[in-house]
mmCIF file of all heavy atoms in Angstrom:
data_model
loop_
_atom_site.group_PDB
_atom_site.id
_atom_site.type_symbol
_atom_site.label_atom_id
_atom_site.label_comp_id
_atom_site.label_asym_id
_atom_site.label_seq_id
_atom_site.Cartn_x
_atom_site.Cartn_y
_atom_site.Cartn_z
ATOM 1 N N THR G 23 2.952 56.224 2.748
ATOM 2 C CA THR G 23 3.363 56.547 4.109
ATOM 3 C C THR G 23 3.312 58.047 4.337
ATOM 4 O O THR G 23 3.860 58.829 3.557
ATOM 5 C CB THR G 23 4.785 56.042 4.378
ATOM 6 O OG1 THR G 23 4.835 54.627 4.214
ATOM 7 C CG2 THR G 23 5.218 56.376 5.798
ATOM 8 N N ASP G 34 -6.531 55.263 -1.968
ATOM 9 C CA ASP G 34 -7.607 54.765 -2.829
ATOM 10 C C ASP G 34 -8.934 54.723 -2.076
ATOM 11 O O ASP G 34 -10.004 54.902 -2.666
ATOM 12 C CB ASP G 34 -7.269 53.374 -3.371
ATOM 13 C CG ASP G 34 -6.160 53.415 -4.411
ATOM 14 O OD1 ASP G 34 -5.855 54.517 -4.897
ATOM 15 O OD2 ASP G 34 -5.593 52.359 -4.729
ATOM 16 N N CYS G 52 -15.955 62.593 -12.675
ATOM 17 C CA CYS G 52 -14.756 62.574 -11.843
ATOM 18 C C CYS G 52 -13.637 61.811 -12.533
ATOM 19 O O CYS G 52 -13.834 60.683 -13.000
ATOM 20 C CB CYS G 52 -15.076 61.925 -10.497
ATOM 21 S SG CYS G 52 -13.766 62.083 -9.263
ATOM 22 N N ALA G 55 -5.776 60.957 -12.192
ATOM 23 C CA ALA G 55 -4.692 60.735 -13.157
ATOM 24 C C ALA G 55 -4.526 59.267 -13.503
ATOM 25 O O ALA G 55 -4.274 58.918 -14.661
ATOM 26 C CB ALA G 55 -3.380 61.307 -12.612
ATOM 27 N N VAL G 77 -13.436 71.839 -12.322
ATOM 28 C CA VAL G 77 -13.050 71.860 -10.913
ATOM 29 C C VAL G 77 -11.831 70.958 -10.743
ATOM 30 O O VAL G 77 -11.727 69.917 -11.404
ATOM 31 C CB VAL G 77 -14.186 71.350 -9.995
ATOM 32 C CG1 VAL G 77 -13.708 71.224 -8.551
ATOM 33 C CG2 VAL G 77 -15.391 72.286 -10.065
ATOM 34 N N ASP G 156 -21.685 80.550 -7.104
ATOM 35 C CA ASP G 156 -21.188 81.898 -6.863
ATOM 36 C C ASP G 156 -20.975 82.651 -8.169
ATOM 37 O O ASP G 156 -20.373 82.122 -9.112
ATOM 38 C CB ASP G 156 -19.863 81.849 -6.094
ATOM 39 C CG ASP G 156 -20.063 81.536 -4.628
ATOM 40 O OD1 ASP G 156 -21.208 81.628 -4.155
ATOM 41 O OD2 ASP G 156 -19.078 81.171 -3.960
ATOM 42 N N GLU G 210 -8.564 44.767 -10.515
ATOM 43 C CA GLU G 210 -8.412 43.353 -10.843
ATOM 44 C C GLU G 210 -7.460 42.674 -9.860
ATOM 45 O O GLU G 210 -7.681 41.523 -9.441
ATOM 46 C CB GLU G 210 -7.898 43.200 -12.277
ATOM 47 C CG GLU G 210 -8.879 43.669 -13.348
ATOM 48 C CD GLU G 210 -8.261 43.669 -14.732
ATOM 49 O OE1 GLU G 210 -7.069 43.293 -14.850
ATOM 50 O OE2 GLU G 210 -8.949 44.040 -15.697
ATOM 51 N N GLY G 312 10.559 42.552 6.736
ATOM 52 C CA GLY G 312 10.557 41.684 7.907
ATOM 53 C C GLY G 312 9.810 40.392 7.660
ATOM 54 O O GLY G 312 10.273 39.300 8.043
ATOM 55 N N ASP G 329 18.042 37.752 11.634
ATOM 56 C CA ASP G 329 18.531 39.072 12.031
ATOM 57 C C ASP G 329 17.930 40.172 11.158
ATOM 58 O O ASP G 329 17.581 41.253 11.653
ATOM 59 C CB ASP G 329 20.060 39.121 11.944
ATOM 60 C CG ASP G 329 20.733 38.279 13.020
ATOM 61 O OD1 ASP G 329 20.069 37.996 14.045
ATOM 62 O OD2 ASP G 329 21.898 37.890 12.826
ATOM 63 N N ASN G 361 17.542 30.685 19.827
ATOM 64 C CA ASN G 361 18.589 30.193 18.929
ATOM 65 C C ASN G 361 19.911 30.939 19.118
ATOM 66 O O ASN G 361 20.781 30.873 18.245
ATOM 67 C CB ASN G 361 18.128 30.342 17.469
ATOM 68 C CG ASN G 361 16.984 29.418 17.117
ATOM 69 O OD1 ASN G 361 17.194 28.281 16.710
ATOM 70 N ND2 ASN G 361 15.750 29.908 17.257
ATOM 71 N N GLU G 367 23.285 36.757 25.113
ATOM 72 C CA GLU G 367 22.489 37.249 23.992
ATOM 73 C C GLU G 367 21.036 36.805 24.122
ATOM 74 O O GLU G 367 20.103 37.561 23.832
ATOM 75 C CB GLU G 367 23.071 36.738 22.666
ATOM 76 C CG GLU G 367 24.430 37.329 22.327
ATOM 77 C CD GLU G 367 24.949 36.802 20.994
ATOM 78 O OE1 GLU G 367 24.151 36.294 20.195
ATOM 79 O OE2 GLU G 367 26.169 36.898 20.766
ATOM 80 N N GLU G 388 -4.822 52.084 24.080
ATOM 81 C CA GLU G 388 -5.273 53.374 23.557
ATOM 82 C C GLU G 388 -6.186 53.180 22.348
ATOM 83 O O GLU G 388 -7.200 53.862 22.192
ATOM 84 C CB GLU G 388 -4.054 54.225 23.175
ATOM 85 C CG GLU G 388 -4.381 55.615 22.652
ATOM 86 C CD GLU G 388 -4.985 56.528 23.721
ATOM 87 O OE1 GLU G 388 -4.757 56.266 24.920
ATOM 88 O OE2 GLU G 388 -5.690 57.483 23.336
ATOM 89 N N GLY G 397 -14.927 48.483 12.478
ATOM 90 C CA GLY G 397 -14.708 47.283 11.670
ATOM 91 C C GLY G 397 -14.285 46.113 12.517
ATOM 92 O O GLY G 397 -13.350 46.211 13.311
ATOM 93 N N GLU G 410 -1.844 38.160 22.775
ATOM 94 C CA GLU G 410 -0.484 37.650 22.595
ATOM 95 C C GLU G 410 0.508 38.415 23.461
ATOM 96 O O GLU G 410 1.410 37.816 24.069
ATOM 97 C CB GLU G 410 -0.071 37.748 21.120
ATOM 98 C CG GLU G 410 1.314 37.199 20.861
ATOM 99 C CD GLU G 410 1.729 37.236 19.397
ATOM 100 O OE1 GLU G 410 0.842 37.382 18.528
ATOM 101 O OE2 GLU G 410 2.941 37.119 19.131
ATOM 102 N N ALA G 428 -11.744 38.845 21.438
ATOM 103 C CA ALA G 428 -11.395 38.831 20.010
ATOM 104 C C ALA G 428 -12.243 37.815 19.259
ATOM 105 O O ALA G 428 -12.765 38.111 18.172
ATOM 106 C CB ALA G 428 -9.905 38.521 19.839
ATOM 107 N N GLY G 434 -13.980 35.372 10.591
ATOM 108 C CA GLY G 434 -13.676 34.095 9.951
ATOM 109 C C GLY G 434 -12.969 33.151 10.912
ATOM 110 O O GLY G 434 -12.199 33.594 11.784
#
Side-chain angles (χ1 to χ4, degrees):
T23 300
D34 289 346
C52 190
V77 173
D156 284 345
E210 294 172 0
D329 290 339
N361 292 272
E367 292 181 19
E388 182 67 23
E410 182 178 343

